[in-house]
Amino acid sequence: MLKTASPTALTASGHAEGVSNDEFRAAMSRLAAGVVLVTAQEPPLDPDDPDAPGGEDVGMTATAFLSVSLDPPLVLVSLREGSRMDDLLAEQPLWAVSVLAESQRHVAGRFAMKGRISDRLLFEDIPYVRGEVSGAPLVGGALATLECRTEQRVPAGDHTLVIGRVLTARVPSAEGGPLLYFRGRYRQVG
């Protein structure tokens, strides 16, 4: 006789009984993920004053990025709730993604640092161009770049899932392989 599983009780933290943060993190670290740099440009502090300082470029490394739909072209990125990028994309609907090449590990690490320096300094010596639609930085040497407009924001636990319509998609560099994240480290294919 086949027994059906009973619903698993949840702990106060929202985890199923017997699943700790460390166990969940360890299991998910076995899933290889591509690495992207998500960027956006803050709006000017005072759009009515031409002498007011412009908004700063903001960037963050992400491994939770995927294609959602071909028609219309949609992508999804998962952002930690309350992070600078989450707060910015709640106000700024235009953003960009650079799919990082295996040679861009330093870029991924720089924008993933905790307690990091200002974003302005992070972009200082990285070659990039401005997206024609978003105005956001698109990293030179990336395997692919996309510019997006937020279509939907979905709260999901301690993250926000941001679904964006792809407005431009380019493949500026066909050289090199992708940068991957696996078992807590940046890796190369092969």
Side-chain angles (χ1 to χ4, degrees):
M1 173 181 231
L2 187 64
K3 292 186 177 186
T4 58
S6 62
T8 305
L10 298 179
T11 65
S13 70
H15 286 287
E17 280 185 26
V19 179
S20 71
N21 285 351
D22 289 340
E23 290 167 326
F24 179 67
R25 190 176 289 115
M28 294 310 297
S29 76
R30 286 355 185 231
L31 177 64
V35 183
V36 301
L37 183 66
V38 179
T39 57
Q41 187 178 46
E42 285 182 321
L45 296 176
D46 184 356
D48 298 327
D49 180 1
D51 295 328
E56 191 170 59
D57 291 324
V58 178
M60 68 160 259
T61 304
T63 56
F65 175 77
L66 58 105
S67 169
V68 173
S69 168
L70 184 60
D71 187 18
L74 298 174
V75 293
L76 177 147
V77 66
S78 180
L79 306 175
R80 186 175 38 82
E81 183 181 319
S83 67
R84 183 160 186 213
M85 187 62 73
D86 182 38
D87 291 344
L88 176 56
L89 294 190
E91 297 176 20
Q92 165 63 284
L94 297 174
W95 45 284
V97 175
S98 298
V99 178
L100 298 180
E102 59 194 359
S103 63
Q104 295 178 309
R105 182 182 303 212
H106 66 288
V107 174
R110 178 184 289 196
F111 285 90
M113 285 188 303
K114 291 184 177 165
R116 62 191 198 185
I117 59 176
S118 81
D119 284 87
R120 181 179 50 78
L121 295 175
L122 292 176
F123 282 103
E124 197 167 80
D125 62 346
I126 294 176
Y128 67 87
V129 297
R130 293 226 171 261
E132 60 193 53
V133 175
S134 67
L138 300 169
V139 177
L143 296 178
T145 60
L146 304 134
E147 291 184 274
C148 306
R149 181 185 65 237
T150 300
E151 293 279 308
Q152 189 175 2
R153 293 174 53 85
V154 180
D158 59 0
H159 277 64
T160 303
L161 305 178
V162 179
I163 299 171
R165 180 178 297 256
V166 177
L167 304 173
T168 68
R170 306 266 190 285
V171 183
S173 176
E175 297 301 315
L179 181 61
L180 298 177
Y181 193 72
F182 180 70
R183 294 182 77 176
R185 294 181 50 209
Y186 296 116
R187 314 265 180 163
Q188 297 175 337
V189 174

